Amino acid sequence: MRMDSTHARPSTIAMKMKILYLLPVIALSSCAQYHLATADKAYERMAYAKATRSYEKALPTIGDRSAAIRAAVAYQKQNQLARAAQWYAFADALEPLAADDAFRYGQVLQSLDRTPEALKQFNSVLAARPDDVLALEAWQATETRNMFYVDTTLFTVQLMNLPGMASVFAATPYRKGIVFAGEKDVPAQRENPWTGLSYLDLYSTTQDLSGSWLTATPLPGEVNGRFHEGPTTFSADGKVMYFTRSDYYKFRLNKDGNAVSHLKLFRATLGADNTWGDIHQFAHNGEEFSTGHAALTKDGNTLYFISDRPGGLGGTDIYRCHRLEEGWGEPENLGPTVNSAGNEMFPTLQGDTLFFASNGHRTLGGLDIFRSVPQDDGWSEPENLNYPINTPFDDFALVMHADGRSGYLSSNRGGTDRIHAFQEHDPTLVLVGVFRNEANGEPMADVEVKLKDRTTGEEVILLTGPDGTYSFELKKGHNYRVSGGKNGMFTESRDLSTVGQRISRTYREDFDLKEVIIEKPILVDNIYYDLDRWDLRPQAAVELDKLVRIFTDNPSLHFELSSHTDSRATDLYNLVLSEARAKSAVDYLIRSGVDASRITAKGYGKRRLVNHCRDGVECTEEEHQVNRRTEFKVTRVEAANP
């Protein structure tokens, strides 16, 4: 018994120690489960700020893959991308992400500039869903990332300081200031559970004499309420405003059968007391879908907006309505050129140009800003405005001032939504080149180079340097002709245009000048004739147009244009045929503007063959074709006027 009792004592002590060890583990596990349940409930209510706080308390203890993905999504919704990436990576390590989770992780990595990792995720989506348009666009955008930085000098973007605001976006010029949507820091009982900040309200502000923005104040009147009020657009006289608002009545959000609260578009008018009231719903709002982000044409007759209504092409599409006598006509989807499988949002107008944000077209990451113009019965292919207008983060709500060169955009590139001012600059356009001697390839100094602006008629002249080079600055949207020559050499010219050139570019035109040698024949390429024919082949026009340029560029030279036949047929027949061919070519040149007194036509028949294909010698058709040629030569040089 004593021995039994002695042996039982250590066992009892060990059991007690084990129990004491397990108690905190059980307590931690129970606490983690509580935080996980709290996080999941918050996530389902889209209370993402609260959800992430609770997930951070639960996940270090409970390695739950599904919960980690939800935490990543919640962080992504709040634009906390670095933290979202950590939880996506955690879940991916437990089991590779697939489908929508992999796509969202790829988007986060794309925005964080982690290109190889993003490509891996997009590739996995495409392997499972080859027809996934959004994944393909994201993969291509990531693969060709450098294209978004092709010219970073076109815009200057500067963060605006709007005091007292935690988050701001969608600035709209109004009177001498701006109106925007904004959030503030508020006590917990008044916060928006998604962000932990206030609900969005509409504010206005102006600048002081130093250019600093004053503290914003809420728009006066009945516009701001208990929940969200968002982007605005104003009529030309500033007395009518369309704005986006949550669907609510007093202190209660209205929700559909799936417990989703949608956005609606409203109209307000400015009263005599300078307050906004007389609020009415837009005729094409719906109870089962959202409508908002209005843009009004200057004449007030067309209203653009976004909606995720049934029948669209993606998430949210851009629509427009035309004003009729009885009100706004039926919504018209802008179609597949503008709208994508993703989300198109925040349309604004500058004349006929439509600016909008999209994450469905090829972007640098998140939402990017695009522009498109009416074209035939549709729209031009949307143009990404590239960096620095766009960044790997969300960039949206670009609005132009009346000058069409400056304005505002919104972006969360700094971590939260902020308004930035931008200024557009002309692209840097330069023409460079070198003049060389065709005979020896040596650069030619002191060549007189002329640049004629064919749009304005202005002309600039310079001389090439010792290395034969030249350089001119060009203007956007102009047509030019550059020419150069030197005594004893042919002058040559080229045409170029900067019309439609939006990004900086260096144009290059090099010239190899030929020496002018009296009576030396020069072959004209590709001016050939069919057997027994003297009329020009259609392709001859290309080479004859080059002759027009040579003869026009060298007004002091006189020319002979000659035609030659092959050896077949009689001497007289070939002589007559060649005369007809030469005259046919000269007539074309004269019709194209060449002075008839400076050019003569000459037919040589078969007297000047260039190969062995003489009478009685068997040759191929190709060998005979070589002899059916056109040449020109300089016959004399007029002396320059004293």
Side-chain angles (χ1 to χ4, degrees):
M1 292 291 295
R2 190 180 294 269
M3 289 183 61
D4 292 340
S5 175
T6 303
H7 285 282
R9 185 177 180 84
S11 177
T12 302
I13 294 173
M15 182 62 70
K16 289 180 179 179
M17 292 179 64
K18 187 174 183 180
I19 292 171
L20 290 173
Y21 173 77
L22 289 174
L23 283 175
V25 174
I26 294 170
L28 285 172
S29 177
S30 177
C31 185
Q33 289 293 345
Y34 167 78
H35 289 304
L36 181 59
T38 301
D40 286 343
K41 288 179 181 178
Y43 183 90
E44 292 301 321
R45 292 187 292 106
M46 294 184 288
Y48 297 121
K50 182 176 181 179
T52 50
R53 290 194 294 267
S54 295
Y55 280 129
E56 289 290 353
K57 296 174 181 177
L59 284 171
T61 303
I62 303 175
D64 187 305
R65 181 176 180 275
S66 296
I69 292 174
R70 292 193 294 275
V73 171
Y75 274 120
Q76 192 172 1
K77 295 285 188 181
Q78 299 173 83
N79 196 43
Q80 298 184 45
L81 301 185
R83 199 66 185 136
Q86 291 178 1
W87 285 117
Y88 275 128
F90 178 88
D92 192 50
L94 294 175
E95 181 184 337
L97 296 172
D100 293 340
D101 295 329
F103 180 69
R104 284 190 290 265
Y105 185 24
Q107 287 180 307
V108 169
L109 295 169
Q110 181 190 28
S111 292
L112 293 173
D113 205 13
R114 291 162 59 176
T115 300
E117 296 169 85
L119 287 173
K120 178 182 176 182
Q121 295 302 321
F122 294 141
N123 277 325
S124 73
V125 177
L126 290 170
R129 304 188 307 211
D131 297 328
D132 190 317
V133 176
L134 291 178
L136 181 60
E137 287 285 355
W139 181 88
Q140 290 175 330
T142 307
E143 184 72 22
T144 58
R145 194 174 185 81
N146 289 340
M147 73 178 185
F148 298 104
Y149 298 92
V150 66
D151 187 355
T152 62
T153 68
L154 297 180
F155 295 91
T156 301
V157 179
Q158 185 174 10
L159 177 66
M160 288 169 47
N161 179 30
L162 296 171
M165 306 303 301
S167 170
V168 291
F169 68 94
T172 302
Y174 183 68
R175 294 185 173 175
K176 295 182 179 181
I178 58 174
V179 172
F180 60 87
E183 300 169 301
K184 291 187 173 184
D185 291 311
V186 291
Q189 62 271 24
R190 293 172 50 201
E191 71 177 21
N192 169 16
W194 185 307
T195 62
L197 301 172
S198 70
Y199 285 91
L200 290 165
D201 280 328
L202 291 172
Y203 294 85
S204 65
T205 184
T206 57
Q207 293 171 288
D208 62 20
L209 294 178
S210 69
S212 297
W213 291 98
L214 301 174
T215 300
T217 57
L219 282 190
E222 304 171 8
V223 172
N224 292 318
R226 175 66 179 83
F227 296 99
H228 289 309
E229 279 73 35
T232 62
T233 188
F234 295 92
S235 60
D237 62 7
K239 295 181 179 180
V240 176
M241 173 177 66
Y242 289 89
F243 66 100
T244 307
R245 171 187 271 184
S246 297
D247 182 12
Y248 65 89
Y249 178 73
K250 293 186 177 180
F251 296 100
R252 180 177 62 83
L253 274 173
N254 296 322
K255 299 182 180 181
D256 64 15
N258 295 316
V260 175
S261 179
H262 297 286
L263 300 177
K264 290 188 175 183
L265 193 57
F266 291 83
R267 177 185 185 272
T269 55
L270 187 65
D273 58 353
N274 280 325
T275 64
W276 292 96
D278 190 26
I279 297 174
H280 296 279
Q281 280 204 44
F282 179 51
H284 300 294
N285 286 336
E287 302 303 322
E288 301 294 324
F289 54 82
S290 288
T291 303
H293 297 190
L296 192 64
T297 56
K298 191 173 182 180
D299 62 10
N301 290 329
T302 306
L303 185 72
Y304 290 75
F305 59 92
I306 71 163
S307 179
D308 59 357
R309 65 189 55 227
L313 302 176
T316 53
D317 285 358
I318 300 176
Y319 293 79
R320 67 181 174 188
C321 289
H322 299 292
R323 188 185 295 278
L324 306 175
E325 288 186 9
E326 62 274 16
W328 291 110
E330 285 299 313
E332 168 195 339
N333 189 296
L334 293 197
T337 302
V338 169
N339 292 317
S340 70
N343 293 316
E344 279 64 52
M345 308 174 76
F346 299 97
T348 63
L349 299 165
Q350 173 68 20
D352 288 337
T353 302
L354 171 70
F355 293 92
F356 64 95
S358 173
N359 63 7
H361 295 288
R362 205 163 300 177
T363 76
L364 185 54
L367 291 168
D368 273 8
I369 298 168
F370 294 81
R371 65 180 156 199
S372 180
V373 296
Q375 189 177 77
D376 300 326
D377 293 330
W379 294 86
S380 65
E381 190 66 27
E383 175 192 1
N384 189 303
L385 296 191
N386 291 342
Y387 184 86
I389 291 293
N390 292 316
T391 67
F393 299 91
D394 284 335
D395 307 287
F396 54 99
L398 180 144
V399 60
M400 282 279 190
H401 288 307
D403 62 9
R405 306 279 293 174
S406 62
Y408 308 109
L409 64 88
S410 301
S411 177
N412 60 16
R413 64 189 67 183
T416 58
D417 289 337
R418 290 289 179 181
I419 297 169
H420 299 68
F422 71 85
Q423 178 70 48
E424 185 174 5
H425 310 289
D426 284 336
T428 301
L429 305 173
V430 180
L431 169 63
V432 300
V434 61
F435 280 82
R436 298 186 182 88
N437 188 315
E438 184 190 55
N440 56 27
E442 293 294 323
M444 298 181 64
D446 299 323
V447 176
E448 184 179 83
V449 189
K450 297 180 181 179
L451 180 72
K452 183 171 184 177
D453 188 331
R454 301 174 69 191
T455 302
T456 65
E458 297 176 354
E459 190 173 79
V460 181
I461 301 175
L462 56 76
L463 297 177
T464 58
D467 57 357
T469 61
Y470 71 94
S471 176
F472 293 102
E473 292 184 2
L474 307 177
K475 297 177 182 178
K476 183 179 71 171
H478 287 228
N479 294 307
Y480 293 94
R481 175 168 293 173
V482 59
S483 62
K486 193 174 183 179
N487 288 339
M489 312 295 288
F490 282 103
T491 295
E492 292 188 26
S493 70
R494 311 268 175 80
D495 291 338
L496 65 147
S497 176
T498 61
V499 174
Q501 184 64 33
R502 292 188 180 276
I503 63 174
S504 299
R505 175 180 172 183
T506 297
Y507 297 79
R508 186 171 190 92
E509 293 290 349
D510 295 333
F511 294 85
D512 294 315
L513 298 187
K514 297 180 177 66
E515 183 181 1
V516 175
I517 302 176
I518 305 296
E519 298 294 333
K520 179 183 178 181
I522 299 173
L523 178 66
V524 181
D525 291 335
N526 301 322
I527 307 296
Y528 295 119
Y529 303 85
D530 293 323
L531 181 64
D532 295 331
R533 303 287 299 178
W534 62 84
D535 49 326
L536 295 168
R537 291 179 179 176
Q539 58 266 38
V542 175
E543 295 303 323
L544 287 175
D545 287 341
K546 294 179 183 178
L547 283 185
V548 172
R549 177 63 63 88
I550 293 173
F551 295 169
T552 304
D553 288 344
N554 296 271
S556 65
L557 303 183
H558 288 244
F559 299 89
E560 174 191 279
L561 190 142
S562 59
S563 179
H564 305 263
T565 68
D566 60 37
S567 62
R568 292 173 289 186
T570 66
D571 290 351
L572 179 60
Y573 176 85
N574 282 323
L575 186 62
V576 172
L577 180 61
S578 63
E579 287 280 359
R581 287 174 173 174
K583 186 176 184 305
S584 177
V586 167
D587 286 346
Y588 180 94
L589 299 177
I590 293 172
R591 289 196 303 271
S592 300
V594 175
D595 184 353
S597 66
R598 294 175 48 230
I599 184 169
T600 59
K602 179 70 174 178
Y604 287 94
K606 61 181 180 180
R607 287 181 290 175
R608 297 185 178 182
L609 302 175
V610 294
N611 59 20
H612 64 286
C613 296
R614 303 182 182 281
D615 286 342
V617 177
E618 185 176 346
C619 290
T620 65
E621 179 58 33
E622 289 76 17
E623 290 172 322
H624 283 304
Q625 175 71 83
V626 173
N627 288 315
R628 297 197 301 271
R629 68 196 186 279
T630 300
E631 297 173 336
F632 77 93
K633 64 182 179 182
V634 178
T635 57
R636 69 186 178 90
V637 181
E638 284 186 2
N641 292 327

